[in-house]
Amino acid sequence: MSNIRMVAVDMDGTFCRPDLTFDVPRFQALLAKMKAAGCHFVVASGNQYFQLRDFFPGYWQELTFVAENGAYVREADEVIFCGQFAPDVVDATLDWIEADPQVKTILSCEDMAYMQRGTSEEYFRIMQKYYHHLSWADDLRTVGVPVLKLALNVPSDQTWEYVRRFRTELPAGVEPTSSGHGEIDLIVPGCHKASGLQRLADRWGIAPEECVAFGDGGNDIEMLRWAGIGYAMENASDEVKAAADRVCSSNADDGVLVALEELFA
């Protein structure tokens, strides 16, 4: 692949090591090479934009973000796309969720994420690692701003059973996606990481064949199939590896950086 014009990376389980760090000097050297080659670097994650931005202090404006599993696309200070649910769909989904005490919920909006007051303080503190703009809401139905995504936590050993139930029991206009481990995102149908990358490709005049993507979870499958070369991490599931063109070293072994050093040698 001689002309790579876009590199897209998932963060958790992919670009980041298990402790949520990465080799900053090594990456910055690679970023300089990519920029010199006219290649855009895109962070494509299910996480909140403000959390993703904080991984790159002082130089986040050099990157582009496909956040909230494709519902929020931003380049520097410009919001390119902000998808949102119809309010009645959110209300109907909350009716279903609130009937099950095992499900914890976060509403992701453009500038803030909200957790229902009464959810455990411990869970709130844990999720602040992933939502750097997180606030309590007395009633999730009255936050008063458009909802981009609903992030759910369910018992880990029941993740895929819940995904199946959400697909059959939730109202039209909601699509579940998961990377496993009890975390499920409910997204606007058709609004996934690949759709976010397509918006950027259209903006920049880039073909999918000129793109490389890296991922490890179920919510990465669309973008791995979309990109000219899709890399699954060694730590990815068999389903993700089946969707990819290549497999690189695990996130614990800096697999993304190793592969990029080969691609941009």
Side-chain angles (χ1 to χ4, degrees), residues 18 27 31 72 90 101 112 129 191 196 214 235 246:
F27 169 65
L31 182 61
Y72 190 74
V90 174
M112 185 65 67
K129 287 171 50 181
C191 190
F214 295 83
N235 49 286
R246 302 177 184 175

Side-chain angles (χ1 to χ4, degrees), residues 245-258:
D245 302 291
R246 302 177 184 175
V247 176
C248 65
S249 304
S250 74
N251 66 319
D253 293 322
D254 298 332
V256 172
L257 299 182
V258 171

Side-chain angles (χ1 to χ4, degrees), residues 61-107:
Q61 288 187 303
E62 300 176 43
L63 315 180
T64 304
F65 297 85
V66 173
E68 307 284 14
N69 272 322
Y72 190 74
V73 183
R74 181 164 174 161
E75 182 181 12
D77 293 323
E78 183 179 356
V79 177
I80 296 165
F81 176 75
C82 185
Q84 52 191 252
F85 287 103
D88 61 321
V89 170
V90 174
D91 289 347
T93 302
L94 288 174
D95 286 343
W96 192 101
I97 291 169
E98 289 171 0
D100 187 334
Q102 293 195 108
V103 183
K104 300 183 183 74
T105 311
I106 293 175
L107 290 192

Side-chain angles (χ1 to χ4, degrees), residues 26 30 78 93 104 119 139 149 157 166 199 207 225 230 258:
R26 190 176 180 186
L30 270 166
E78 183 179 356
T93 302
K104 300 183 183 74
T119 308
D139 184 350
K149 184 191 76 178
D157 61 348
F166 290 147
R199 294 178 201 282
R225 289 175 173 158
V258 171

Side-chain angles (χ1 to χ4, degrees), residues 10-33:
D10 171 54
M11 292 298 285
D12 298 343
T14 299
F15 188 73
C16 293
R17 299 163 178 154
D19 63 359
L20 297 182
T21 66
F22 61 92
D23 188 329
V24 175
R26 190 176 180 186
F27 169 65
Q28 289 182 327
L30 270 166
L31 182 61
K33 280 190 173 184

Side-chain angles (χ1 to χ4, degrees), residues 93-264:
T93 302
L94 288 174
D95 286 343
W96 192 101
I97 291 169
E98 289 171 0
D100 187 334
Q102 293 195 108
V103 183
K104 300 183 183 74
T105 311
I106 293 175
L107 290 192
S108 289
C109 306
E110 182 174 358
D111 295 319
M112 185 65 67
Y114 298 90
M115 188 180 294
Q116 179 71 46
R117 195 175 300 280
T119 308
S120 78
E121 296 273 356
E122 180 186 9
Y123 184 66
F124 186 92
R125 287 194 298 273
I126 290 170
M127 296 315 292
Q128 283 180 307
K129 287 171 50 181
Y130 303 99
Y131 293 87
H132 290 186
H133 289 195
L134 181 62
S135 180
W136 291 108
D138 292 325
D139 184 350
L140 291 178
R141 288 176 175 77
T142 60
V143 296
V145 289
V147 176
L148 281 61
K149 184 191 76 178
L150 289 86
L152 311 181
N153 175 266
V154 302
S156 184
D157 61 348
Q158 299 177 45
T159 304
W160 301 111
E161 171 62 18
Y162 270 97
V163 169
R164 184 196 65 76
R165 290 179 63 194
F166 290 147
R167 284 184 176 143
T168 58
E169 298 175 22
L170 289 182
V174 179
E175 175 68 28
T177 184
S178 179
S179 54
H181 315 295
E183 305 300 330
I184 300 171
D185 285 346
L186 303 181
I187 61 175
V188 177
C191 190
H192 42 60
K193 294 183 183 183
S195 70
L197 296 180
Q198 184 64 62
R199 294 178 201 282
L200 294 173
D202 293 342
R203 175 181 174 88
W204 296 329
I206 293 174
E209 293 74 26
E210 298 173 296
C211 304
V212 177
F214 295 83
D216 74 303
N219 60 342
D220 297 316
I221 287 175
E222 291 92 350
M223 78 167 180
L224 295 181
R225 289 175 173 158
W226 176 86
I229 298 180
Y231 279 87
M233 310 305 293
E234 181 56 47
N235 49 286
S237 66
D238 290 341
E239 180 188 20
V240 175
K241 289 177 180 176
D245 302 291
R246 302 177 184 175
V247 176
C248 65
S249 304
S250 74
N251 66 319
D253 293 322
D254 298 332
V256 172
L257 299 182
V258 171
L260 289 177
E261 285 169 345
E262 295 172 354
L263 292 170
F264 290 90

